[in-house]
mmCIF file of all heavy atoms in Angstrom:
data_model
loop_
_atom_site.group_PDB
_atom_site.id
_atom_site.type_symbol
_atom_site.label_atom_id
_atom_site.label_comp_id
_atom_site.label_asym_id
_atom_site.label_seq_id
_atom_site.Cartn_x
_atom_site.Cartn_y
_atom_site.Cartn_z
ATOM 1 N N GLY O 1 5.289 -7.048 18.250
ATOM 2 C CA GLY O 1 5.456 -8.243 19.070
ATOM 3 C C GLY O 1 5.125 -9.536 18.350
ATOM 4 O O GLY O 1 4.865 -10.561 18.991
ATOM 5 N N TRP O 2 5.148 -9.517 17.022
ATOM 6 C CA TRP O 2 4.819 -10.724 16.268
ATOM 7 C C TRP O 2 5.951 -11.742 16.356
ATOM 8 O O TRP O 2 7.133 -11.393 16.328
ATOM 9 C CB TRP O 2 4.566 -10.381 14.802
ATOM 10 C CG TRP O 2 3.369 -9.519 14.573
ATOM 11 C CD1 TRP O 2 2.339 -9.272 15.434
ATOM 12 C CD2 TRP O 2 3.081 -8.769 13.383
ATOM 13 N NE1 TRP O 2 1.422 -8.431 14.855
ATOM 14 C CE2 TRP O 2 1.845 -8.102 13.599
ATOM 15 C CE3 TRP O 2 3.728 -8.601 12.169
ATOM 16 C CZ2 TRP O 2 1.259 -7.284 12.639
ATOM 17 C CZ3 TRP O 2 3.154 -7.780 11.204
ATOM 18 C CH2 TRP O 2 1.927 -7.136 11.441
ATOM 19 N N LYS O 3 5.589 -13.002 16.394
ATOM 20 C CA LYS O 3 6.549 -14.098 16.345
ATOM 21 C C LYS O 3 6.327 -14.866 15.053
ATOM 22 O O LYS O 3 5.206 -15.305 14.768
ATOM 23 C CB LYS O 3 6.350 -15.033 17.553
ATOM 24 C CG LYS O 3 7.294 -16.223 17.595
ATOM 25 C CD LYS O 3 8.713 -15.806 17.870
ATOM 26 C CE LYS O 3 9.616 -17.021 18.047
ATOM 27 N NZ LYS O 3 11.025 -16.657 18.225
ATOM 28 N N PHE O 4 7.388 -15.018 14.253
ATOM 29 C CA PHE O 4 7.263 -15.627 12.931
ATOM 30 C C PHE O 4 7.700 -17.090 12.944
ATOM 31 O O PHE O 4 8.695 -17.453 13.574
ATOM 32 C CB PHE O 4 8.114 -14.862 11.919
ATOM 33 C CG PHE O 4 7.583 -13.496 11.571
ATOM 34 C CD1 PHE O 4 7.930 -12.391 12.332
ATOM 35 C CD2 PHE O 4 6.738 -13.321 10.491
ATOM 36 C CE1 PHE O 4 7.451 -11.126 12.020
ATOM 37 C CE2 PHE O 4 6.250 -12.060 10.165
ATOM 38 C CZ PHE O 4 6.606 -10.959 10.935
ATOM 39 N N TYR O 5 6.931 -17.909 12.192
ATOM 40 C CA TYR O 5 7.257 -19.314 12.015
ATOM 41 C C TYR O 5 7.263 -19.623 10.524
ATOM 42 O O TYR O 5 6.323 -19.270 9.811
ATOM 43 C CB TYR O 5 6.230 -20.199 12.726
ATOM 44 C CG TYR O 5 6.197 -19.978 14.224
ATOM 45 C CD1 TYR O 5 5.310 -19.054 14.786
ATOM 46 C CD2 TYR O 5 7.051 -20.671 15.075
ATOM 47 C CE1 TYR O 5 5.277 -18.835 16.156
ATOM 48 C CE2 TYR O 5 7.018 -20.463 16.445
ATOM 49 C CZ TYR O 5 6.131 -19.544 16.981
ATOM 50 O OH TYR O 5 6.104 -19.319 18.329
ATOM 51 N N LYS O 6 8.302 -20.311 10.064
ATOM 52 C CA LYS O 6 8.452 -20.571 8.633
ATOM 53 C C LYS O 6 7.867 -21.925 8.253
ATOM 54 O O LYS O 6 8.104 -22.931 8.924
ATOM 55 C CB LYS O 6 9.929 -20.535 8.237
ATOM 56 C CG LYS O 6 10.161 -20.637 6.732
ATOM 57 C CD LYS O 6 11.635 -20.515 6.392
ATOM 58 C CE LYS O 6 11.835 -20.560 4.876
ATOM 59 N NZ LYS O 6 13.265 -20.489 4.494
ATOM 60 N N ILE O 7 7.068 -21.917 7.178
ATOM 61 C CA ILE O 7 6.568 -23.139 6.568
ATOM 62 C C ILE O 7 6.879 -23.044 5.078
ATOM 63 O O ILE O 7 6.321 -22.197 4.376
ATOM 64 C CB ILE O 7 5.056 -23.316 6.787
ATOM 65 C CG1 ILE O 7 4.736 -23.345 8.293
ATOM 66 C CG2 ILE O 7 4.567 -24.589 6.105
ATOM 67 C CD1 ILE O 7 3.258 -23.402 8.585
ATOM 68 N N ASP O 8 7.813 -23.874 4.611
ATOM 69 C CA ASP O 8 8.306 -23.794 3.233
ATOM 70 C C ASP O 8 8.876 -22.405 2.988
ATOM 71 O O ASP O 8 9.778 -21.982 3.695
ATOM 72 C CB ASP O 8 7.191 -24.155 2.244
ATOM 73 C CG ASP O 8 6.730 -25.598 2.412
ATOM 74 O OD1 ASP O 8 7.582 -26.442 2.738
ATOM 75 O OD2 ASP O 8 5.530 -25.869 2.247
ATOM 76 N N TYR O 9 8.325 -21.679 2.008
ATOM 77 C CA TYR O 9 8.868 -20.365 1.670
ATOM 78 C C TYR O 9 8.133 -19.233 2.395
ATOM 79 O O TYR O 9 8.454 -18.063 2.205
ATOM 80 C CB TYR O 9 8.752 -20.126 0.155
ATOM 81 C CG TYR O 9 7.327 -20.003 -0.330
ATOM 82 C CD1 TYR O 9 6.710 -18.761 -0.438
ATOM 83 C CD2 TYR O 9 6.588 -21.140 -0.673
ATOM 84 C CE1 TYR O 9 5.393 -18.645 -0.859
ATOM 85 C CE2 TYR O 9 5.272 -21.029 -1.088
ATOM 86 C CZ TYR O 9 4.693 -19.787 -1.190
ATOM 87 O OH TYR O 9 3.374 -19.663 -1.605
ATOM 88 N N TYR O 10 7.159 -19.580 3.213
ATOM 89 C CA TYR O 10 6.259 -18.579 3.792
ATOM 90 C C TYR O 10 6.450 -18.494 5.308
ATOM 91 O O TYR O 10 6.705 -19.501 5.977
ATOM 92 C CB TYR O 10 4.815 -18.969 3.484
ATOM 93 C CG TYR O 10 3.799 -17.858 3.656
ATOM 94 C CD1 TYR O 10 3.631 -16.886 2.674
ATOM 95 C CD2 TYR O 10 2.998 -17.792 4.794
ATOM 96 C CE1 TYR O 10 2.697 -15.871 2.813
ATOM 97 C CE2 TYR O 10 2.062 -16.785 4.941
ATOM 98 C CZ TYR O 10 1.917 -15.827 3.950
ATOM 99 O OH TYR O 10 0.990 -14.821 4.104
ATOM 100 N N TYR O 11 6.310 -17.273 5.838
ATOM 101 C CA TYR O 11 6.410 -17.045 7.273
ATOM 102 C C TYR O 11 5.044 -16.590 7.799
ATOM 103 O O TYR O 11 4.485 -15.604 7.309
ATOM 104 C CB TYR O 11 7.438 -15.963 7.588
ATOM 105 C CG TYR O 11 8.854 -16.277 7.168
ATOM 106 C CD1 TYR O 11 9.283 -16.029 5.870
ATOM 107 C CD2 TYR O 11 9.764 -16.822 8.072
ATOM 108 C CE1 TYR O 11 10.587 -16.307 5.479
ATOM 109 C CE2 TYR O 11 11.074 -17.104 7.690
ATOM 110 C CZ TYR O 11 11.473 -16.837 6.399
ATOM 111 O OH TYR O 11 12.762 -17.116 6.016
ATOM 112 N N SER O 12 4.527 -17.283 8.787
ATOM 113 C CA SER O 12 3.281 -16.886 9.426
ATOM 114 C C SER O 12 3.606 -16.194 10.746
ATOM 115 O O SER O 12 4.457 -16.660 11.512
ATOM 116 C CB SER O 12 2.388 -18.100 9.703
ATOM 117 O OG SER O 12 1.934 -18.666 8.486
ATOM 118 N N ALA O 13 2.937 -15.066 11.002
ATOM 119 C CA ALA O 13 3.185 -14.285 12.211
ATOM 120 C C ALA O 13 2.063 -14.515 13.216
ATOM 121 O O ALA O 13 0.884 -14.512 12.850
ATOM 122 C CB ALA O 13 3.290 -12.806 11.872
ATOM 123 N N PHE O 14 2.441 -14.670 14.465
ATOM 124 C CA PHE O 14 1.487 -14.945 15.532
ATOM 125 C C PHE O 14 1.649 -13.950 16.675
ATOM 126 O O PHE O 14 2.747 -13.462 16.939
ATOM 127 C CB PHE O 14 1.698 -16.350 16.097
ATOM 128 C CG PHE O 14 1.242 -17.458 15.190
ATOM 129 C CD1 PHE O 14 1.996 -17.816 14.082
ATOM 130 C CD2 PHE O 14 0.065 -18.142 15.448
ATOM 131 C CE1 PHE O 14 1.582 -18.837 13.243
ATOM 132 C CE2 PHE O 14 -0.351 -19.166 14.616
ATOM 133 C CZ PHE O 14 0.398 -19.514 13.508
ATOM 134 N N VAL O 15 0.550 -13.653 17.342
ATOM 135 C CA VAL O 15 0.557 -13.025 18.660
ATOM 136 C C VAL O 15 0.029 -14.084 19.615
ATOM 137 O O VAL O 15 -1.137 -14.486 19.511
ATOM 138 C CB VAL O 15 -0.320 -11.760 18.710
ATOM 139 C CG1 VAL O 15 -0.426 -11.251 20.141
ATOM 140 C CG2 VAL O 15 0.262 -10.664 17.813
ATOM 141 N N GLU O 16 0.914 -14.574 20.481
ATOM 142 C CA GLU O 16 0.615 -15.732 21.321
ATOM 143 C C GLU O 16 0.197 -16.890 20.409
ATOM 144 O O GLU O 16 0.958 -17.286 19.548
ATOM 145 C CB GLU O 16 -0.457 -15.369 22.357
ATOM 146 C CG GLU O 16 0.032 -14.302 23.335
ATOM 147 C CD GLU O 16 -1.012 -13.873 24.337
ATOM 148 O OE1 GLU O 16 -2.195 -14.260 24.193
ATOM 149 O OE2 GLU O 16 -0.651 -13.151 25.275
ATOM 150 N N ASP O 17 -1.021 -17.412 20.526
ATOM 151 C CA ASP O 17 -1.402 -18.569 19.707
ATOM 152 C C ASP O 17 -2.300 -18.202 18.538
ATOM 153 O O ASP O 17 -2.861 -19.077 17.879
ATOM 154 C CB ASP O 17 -2.104 -19.619 20.574
ATOM 155 C CG ASP O 17 -3.390 -19.102 21.205
ATOM 156 O OD1 ASP O 17 -3.577 -17.864 21.239
ATOM 157 O OD2 ASP O 17 -4.201 -19.931 21.664
ATOM 158 N N LYS O 18 -2.413 -16.898 18.252
ATOM 159 C CA LYS O 18 -3.305 -16.458 17.178
ATOM 160 C C LYS O 18 -2.499 -15.944 15.987
ATOM 161 O O LYS O 18 -1.660 -15.052 16.125
ATOM 162 C CB LYS O 18 -4.254 -15.368 17.681
ATOM 163 C CG LYS O 18 -5.229 -15.847 18.746
ATOM 164 C CD LYS O 18 -6.240 -14.772 19.085
ATOM 165 C CE LYS O 18 -7.178 -15.243 20.189
ATOM 166 N NZ LYS O 18 -7.935 -16.455 19.798
ATOM 167 N N GLU O 19 -2.778 -16.513 14.817
ATOM 168 C CA GLU O 19 -2.129 -16.029 13.598
ATOM 169 C C GLU O 19 -2.669 -14.640 13.262
ATOM 170 O O GLU O 19 -3.872 -14.396 13.342
ATOM 171 C CB GLU O 19 -2.390 -16.981 12.434
ATOM 172 C CG GLU O 19 -1.634 -16.605 11.176
ATOM 173 C CD GLU O 19 -1.824 -17.611 10.058
ATOM 174 O OE1 GLU O 19 -2.679 -18.518 10.211
ATOM 175 O OE2 GLU O 19 -1.131 -17.490 9.046
ATOM 176 N N VAL O 20 -1.777 -13.738 12.877
ATOM 177 C CA VAL O 20 -2.210 -12.374 12.594
ATOM 178 C C VAL O 20 -1.894 -11.916 11.178
ATOM 179 O O VAL O 20 -2.590 -11.062 10.617
ATOM 180 C CB VAL O 20 -1.602 -11.364 13.589
ATOM 181 C CG1 VAL O 20 -2.209 -11.529 14.968
ATOM 182 C CG2 VAL O 20 -0.085 -11.479 13.657
ATOM 183 N N THR O 21 -0.860 -12.463 10.563
ATOM 184 C CA THR O 21 -0.496 -12.030 9.215
ATOM 185 C C THR O 21 0.550 -12.981 8.641
ATOM 186 O O THR O 21 0.849 -14.019 9.230
ATOM 187 C CB THR O 21 0.036 -10.579 9.241
ATOM 188 O OG1 THR O 21 0.230 -10.117 7.909
ATOM 189 C CG2 THR O 21 1.344 -10.468 9.990
ATOM 190 N N GLY O 22 1.112 -12.631 7.484
ATOM 191 C CA GLY O 22 2.127 -13.469 6.853
ATOM 192 C C GLY O 22 3.184 -12.638 6.161
ATOM 193 O O GLY O 22 3.025 -11.421 5.971
ATOM 194 N N LEU O 23 4.271 -13.304 5.768
ATOM 195 C CA LEU O 23 5.403 -12.619 5.125
ATOM 196 C C LEU O 23 6.083 -13.592 4.176
ATOM 197 O O LEU O 23 6.192 -14.784 4.461
ATOM 198 C CB LEU O 23 6.371 -12.145 6.215
ATOM 199 C CG LEU O 23 7.663 -11.455 5.819
ATOM 200 C CD1 LEU O 23 8.076 -10.443 6.904
ATOM 201 C CD2 LEU O 23 8.816 -12.459 5.615
ATOM 202 N N TYR O 24 6.549 -13.073 3.046
ATOM 203 C CA TYR O 24 7.308 -13.914 2.128
ATOM 204 C C TYR O 24 8.332 -13.062 1.385
ATOM 205 O O TYR O 24 8.192 -11.830 1.282
ATOM 206 C CB TYR O 24 6.389 -14.624 1.128
ATOM 207 C CG TYR O 24 5.618 -13.703 0.205
ATOM 208 C CD1 TYR O 24 6.089 -13.391 -1.064
ATOM 209 C CD2 TYR O 24 4.414 -13.140 0.613
ATOM 210 C CE1 TYR O 24 5.386 -12.546 -1.911
ATOM 211 C CE2 TYR O 24 3.696 -12.302 -0.216
ATOM 212 C CZ TYR O 24 4.188 -12.008 -1.486
ATOM 213 O OH TYR O 24 3.488 -11.169 -2.310
ATOM 214 N N GLU O 25 9.370 -13.726 0.890
ATOM 215 C CA GLU O 25 10.401 -13.004 0.145
ATOM 216 C C GLU O 25 9.916 -12.728 -1.272
ATOM 217 O O GLU O 25 9.377 -13.616 -1.946
ATOM 218 C CB GLU O 25 11.700 -13.798 0.106
ATOM 219 C CG GLU O 25 12.827 -13.042 -0.585
ATOM 220 C CD GLU O 25 14.184 -13.690 -0.417
ATOM 221 O OE1 GLU O 25 14.267 -14.734 0.283
ATOM 222 O OE2 GLU O 25 15.163 -13.164 -0.982
ATOM 223 N N THR O 26 10.103 -11.507 -1.718
ATOM 224 C CA THR O 26 9.698 -11.109 -3.060
ATOM 225 C C THR O 26 10.360 -12.015 -4.097
ATOM 226 O O THR O 26 11.584 -12.197 -4.068
ATOM 227 C CB THR O 26 10.116 -9.644 -3.336
ATOM 228 O OG1 THR O 26 9.579 -8.813 -2.311
ATOM 229 C CG2 THR O 26 9.628 -9.184 -4.697
ATOM 230 N N PRO O 27 9.584 -12.628 -5.001
ATOM 231 C CA PRO O 27 10.185 -13.482 -6.030
ATOM 232 C C PRO O 27 11.207 -12.718 -6.875
ATOM 233 O O PRO O 27 11.091 -11.510 -7.090
ATOM 234 C CB PRO O 27 8.973 -13.912 -6.879
ATOM 235 C CG PRO O 27 7.820 -13.822 -5.932
ATOM 236 C CD PRO O 27 8.122 -12.634 -5.059
ATOM 237 N N GLU O 28 12.202 -13.448 -7.359
ATOM 238 C CA GLU O 28 13.325 -12.828 -8.074
ATOM 239 C C GLU O 28 12.877 -12.013 -9.282
ATOM 240 O O GLU O 28 13.416 -10.931 -9.554
ATOM 241 C CB GLU O 28 14.312 -13.911 -8.521
ATOM 242 C CG GLU O 28 15.624 -13.368 -9.071
ATOM 243 C CD GLU O 28 16.394 -12.517 -8.071
ATOM 244 O OE1 GLU O 28 16.357 -12.841 -6.869
ATOM 245 O OE2 GLU O 28 17.027 -11.527 -8.496
ATOM 246 N N LYS O 29 11.882 -12.510 -10.025
ATOM 247 C CA LYS O 29 11.457 -11.774 -11.223
ATOM 248 C C LYS O 29 10.888 -10.404 -10.871
ATOM 249 O O LYS O 29 11.042 -9.434 -11.619
ATOM 250 C CB LYS O 29 10.445 -12.577 -12.030
ATOM 251 C CG LYS O 29 9.101 -12.808 -11.366
ATOM 252 C CD LYS O 29 8.163 -13.532 -12.324
ATOM 253 C CE LYS O 29 6.797 -13.766 -11.700
ATOM 254 N NZ LYS O 29 5.869 -14.439 -12.642
ATOM 255 N N PHE O 30 10.251 -10.303 -9.689
ATOM 256 C CA PHE O 30 9.717 -9.017 -9.266
ATOM 257 C C PHE O 30 10.813 -8.124 -8.694
ATOM 258 O O PHE O 30 10.732 -6.902 -8.778
ATOM 259 C CB PHE O 30 8.588 -9.213 -8.260
ATOM 260 C CG PHE O 30 7.379 -9.877 -8.846
ATOM 261 C CD1 PHE O 30 6.884 -11.045 -8.294
ATOM 262 C CD2 PHE O 30 6.748 -9.352 -9.963
ATOM 263 C CE1 PHE O 30 5.766 -11.671 -8.844
ATOM 264 C CE2 PHE O 30 5.631 -9.968 -10.515
ATOM 265 C CZ PHE O 30 5.145 -11.130 -9.958
ATOM 266 N N LYS O 31 11.859 -8.752 -8.128
ATOM 267 C CA LYS O 31 13.012 -7.961 -7.714
ATOM 268 C C LYS O 31 13.671 -7.316 -8.926
ATOM 269 O O LYS O 31 14.088 -6.152 -8.882
ATOM 270 C CB LYS O 31 14.026 -8.836 -6.969
ATOM 271 C CG LYS O 31 13.587 -9.319 -5.604
ATOM 272 C CD LYS O 31 14.698 -10.135 -4.963
ATOM 273 C CE LYS O 31 14.306 -10.675 -3.604
ATOM 274 N NZ LYS O 31 15.372 -11.498 -2.995
ATOM 275 N N GLN O 32 13.780 -8.077 -10.007
ATOM 276 C CA GLN O 32 14.393 -7.545 -11.228
ATOM 277 C C GLN O 32 13.577 -6.384 -11.799
ATOM 278 O O GLN O 32 14.126 -5.471 -12.427
ATOM 279 C CB GLN O 32 14.531 -8.653 -12.278
ATOM 280 C CG GLN O 32 15.452 -9.782 -11.884
ATOM 281 C CD GLN O 32 16.879 -9.330 -11.629
ATOM 282 O OE1 GLN O 32 17.398 -8.463 -12.325
ATOM 283 N NE2 GLN O 32 17.524 -9.921 -10.633
ATOM 284 N N MET O 33 12.256 -6.425 -11.574
ATOM 285 C CA MET O 33 11.383 -5.333 -12.029
ATOM 286 C C MET O 33 11.405 -4.159 -11.060
ATOM 287 O O MET O 33 10.790 -3.131 -11.305
ATOM 288 C CB MET O 33 9.949 -5.848 -12.155
ATOM 289 C CG MET O 33 9.750 -6.892 -13.225
ATOM 290 S SD MET O 33 8.165 -7.775 -13.046
ATOM 291 C CE MET O 33 7.007 -6.409 -13.164
ATOM 292 N N ARG O 34 12.120 -4.343 -9.947
ATOM 293 C CA ARG O 34 12.220 -3.334 -8.874
ATOM 294 C C ARG O 34 10.850 -3.005 -8.279
ATOM 295 O O ARG O 34 10.539 -1.858 -7.973
ATOM 296 C CB ARG O 34 12.912 -2.072 -9.377
ATOM 297 C CG ARG O 34 13.495 -1.209 -8.267
ATOM 298 C CD ARG O 34 14.480 -1.945 -7.359
ATOM 299 N NE ARG O 34 14.622 -1.261 -6.063
ATOM 300 C CZ ARG O 34 14.088 -1.683 -4.916
ATOM 301 N NH1 ARG O 34 13.394 -2.803 -4.880
ATOM 302 N NH2 ARG O 34 14.261 -1.014 -3.816
ATOM 303 N N MET O 35 10.031 -4.053 -8.123
ATOM 304 C CA MET O 35 8.756 -3.890 -7.428
ATOM 305 C C MET O 35 9.050 -3.582 -5.964
ATOM 306 O O MET O 35 9.904 -4.222 -5.354
ATOM 307 C CB MET O 35 7.920 -5.160 -7.549
ATOM 308 C CG MET O 35 6.545 -5.056 -6.908
ATOM 309 S SD MET O 35 5.583 -6.580 -7.117
ATOM 310 C CE MET O 35 5.186 -6.467 -8.860
ATOM 311 N N PRO O 36 8.389 -2.610 -5.360
ATOM 312 C CA PRO O 36 8.697 -2.252 -3.975
ATOM 313 C C PRO O 36 8.208 -3.290 -2.969
ATOM 314 O O PRO O 36 7.399 -4.157 -3.290
ATOM 315 C CB PRO O 36 7.951 -0.925 -3.786
ATOM 316 C CG PRO O 36 6.818 -0.999 -4.751
ATOM 317 C CD PRO O 36 7.360 -1.732 -5.948
ATOM 318 N N HIS O 37 8.731 -3.194 -1.757
ATOM 319 C CA HIS O 37 8.150 -3.929 -0.636
ATOM 320 C C HIS O 37 6.707 -3.436 -0.482
ATOM 321 O O HIS O 37 6.438 -2.243 -0.647
ATOM 322 C CB HIS O 37 8.898 -3.615 0.663
ATOM 323 C CG HIS O 37 10.358 -3.951 0.628
ATOM 324 N ND1 HIS O 37 10.957 -4.754 1.576
ATOM 325 C CD2 HIS O 37 11.356 -3.585 -0.223
ATOM 326 C CE1 HIS O 37 12.248 -4.869 1.321
ATOM 327 N NE2 HIS O 37 12.516 -4.165 0.230
ATOM 328 N N PHE O 38 5.765 -4.331 -0.157
ATOM 329 C CA PHE O 38 4.378 -3.856 -0.038
ATOM 330 C C PHE O 38 3.535 -4.774 0.832
ATOM 331 O O PHE O 38 3.790 -5.973 0.938
ATOM 332 C CB PHE O 38 3.723 -3.721 -1.415
ATOM 333 C CG PHE O 38 3.560 -5.027 -2.158
ATOM 334 C CD1 PHE O 38 2.424 -5.798 -2.000
ATOM 335 C CD2 PHE O 38 4.555 -5.472 -3.015
ATOM 336 C CE1 PHE O 38 2.279 -6.999 -2.680
ATOM 337 C CE2 PHE O 38 4.418 -6.684 -3.696
ATOM 338 C CZ PHE O 38 3.272 -7.441 -3.531
ATOM 339 N N TRP O 39 2.507 -4.185 1.435
ATOM 340 C CA TRP O 39 1.464 -4.912 2.152
ATOM 341 C C TRP O 39 0.315 -5.219 1.190
ATOM 342 O O TRP O 39 -0.117 -4.339 0.444
ATOM 343 C CB TRP O 39 0.935 -4.092 3.327
ATOM 344 C CG TRP O 39 1.759 -4.259 4.559
ATOM 345 C CD1 TRP O 39 2.709 -3.406 5.049
ATOM 346 C CD2 TRP O 39 1.709 -5.366 5.468
ATOM 347 N NE1 TRP O 39 3.259 -3.912 6.198
ATOM 348 C CE2 TRP O 39 2.660 -5.119 6.483
ATOM 349 C CE3 TRP O 39 0.955 -6.537 5.520
ATOM 350 C CZ2 TRP O 39 2.872 -5.995 7.534
ATOM 351 C CZ3 TRP O 39 1.163 -7.412 6.570
ATOM 352 C CH2 TRP O 39 2.120 -7.141 7.555
ATOM 353 N N MET O 40 -0.168 -6.435 1.215
ATOM 354 C CA MET O 40 -1.228 -6.881 0.315
ATOM 355 C C MET O 40 -2.515 -7.178 1.080
ATOM 356 O O MET O 40 -2.492 -7.892 2.085
ATOM 357 C CB MET O 40 -0.774 -8.149 -0.418
ATOM 358 C CG MET O 40 -1.829 -8.806 -1.289
ATOM 359 S SD MET O 40 -2.315 -7.768 -2.696
ATOM 360 C CE MET O 40 -0.836 -7.906 -3.721
ATOM 361 N N THR O 41 -3.624 -6.632 0.599
ATOM 362 C CA THR O 41 -4.950 -6.931 1.142
ATOM 363 C C THR O 41 -5.537 -8.152 0.443
ATOM 364 O O THR O 41 -5.495 -8.254 -0.790
ATOM 365 C CB THR O 41 -5.885 -5.717 0.954
ATOM 366 O OG1 THR O 41 -5.473 -4.665 1.831
ATOM 367 C CG2 THR O 41 -7.333 -6.075 1.259
#
């Protein structure tokens, strides 16, 4: 049920008015290296 809002290249996810996480597109150089999609701590 997350709602995403974009600021520049980054997407912040919210549940109601509370930020819960973030998302961004993998940079091209890492795509070329075939780095997988991943969650970061």
Side-chain angles (χ1 to χ4, degrees):
W2 295 343
K3 179 69 174 176
F4 289 88
Y5 298 92
K6 187 177 182 182
I7 301 175
D8 296 326
Y9 67 93
Y10 197 80
Y11 298 84
S12 293
F14 287 76
V15 173
E16 296 178 351
D17 62 343
K18 295 187 182 300
E19 186 176 9
V20 290
T21 187
L23 177 150
Y24 63 95
E25 184 169 358
T26 305
E28 189 60 36
K29 66 176 181 178
F30 294 123
K31 291 182 181 178
Q32 296 299 322
M33 294 165 59
R34 201 56 201 105
M35 183 179 287
H37 301 234
F38 65 89
W39 275 101
M40 174 66 72
T41 289

